[in-house]
Amino acid sequence: QVQLVESGGDLVQAGGSLRLSCAASGRIFSINNMGWYRQAPGKERELVAHITRGGSTSYADSVKGRFTISRDNAKNTVNLQMNSLKPEDTAVYYCNADLRRFLSDSYAEYWGQGTQVTVSS
């Protein structure tokens, strides 16, 4: 089995910072792309930030300049540094990884269980 476990969600005041972490564990041969998504109440899940195995990154326009995604390929982890947080950043944040468990496998998507980020005004 493969597990993605997020941590770091919290209640923070507007203008504050949080760092989310996600660790992938279990039988993993390789991880390709990794990303962070979020879902606010009544809204669809949206991509926040994405990072390739080689380290190329992309961000939603709403978080550019405030959030930074990074990863450690040796540890199978991905992080999201969130600065200058706004109330509209309030959501459940989910970690996502495109990985294969064995050399013979195709890549498949895995999700974490989510971590709550609440930004008060």
Side-chain angles (χ1 to χ4, degrees), residues 2-103:
V2 172
Q3 277 192 313
L4 271 62
V5 179
E6 302 104 333
S7 61
D10 206 343
L11 170 63
V12 64
Q13 287 191 332
S17 297
L18 281 175
R19 183 176 177 84
L20 304 184
S21 296
C22 172
S25 62
R27 184 64 178 89
I28 297 171
F29 179 78
S30 68
I31 302 178
N32 193 9
N33 300 321
M34 303 186 82
W36 286 95
Y37 288 71
R38 67 186 180 188
Q39 187 166 20
K43 294 188 176 182
E44 293 187 355
R45 190 174 297 190
E46 63 174 355
L47 176 64
V48 175
H50 172 274
I51 185 167
T52 67
R53 183 170 181 81
S56 296
T57 59
S58 60
Y59 298 91
D61 287 343
S62 59
V63 308
K64 280 181 182 176
R66 299 187 298 122
F67 290 10
T68 302
I69 189 171
S70 61
R71 67 187 283 176
D72 185 327
N73 291 334
K75 297 180 179 178
N76 290 338
T77 58
V78 61
N79 301 307
L80 186 69
Q81 178 65 41
M82 305 187 295
N83 299 328
S84 303
L85 283 161
K86 304 175 181 179
E88 51 263 45
D89 295 319
T90 296
V92 178
Y93 284 69
Y94 296 91
C95 172
N96 171 272
D98 192 30
L99 63 87
R100 52 178 173 171
R101 298 180 62 203
F102 301 96
L103 175 61

Side-chain angles (χ1 to χ4, degrees), residues 95-118:
C95 172
N96 171 272
D98 192 30
L99 63 87
R100 52 178 173 171
R101 298 180 62 203
F102 301 96
L103 175 61
S104 57
D105 283 354
S106 299
Y107 282 96
E109 261 192 329
Y110 288 80
W111 293 88
Q113 81 289 350
T115 186
Q116 177 70 48
V117 171
T118 303

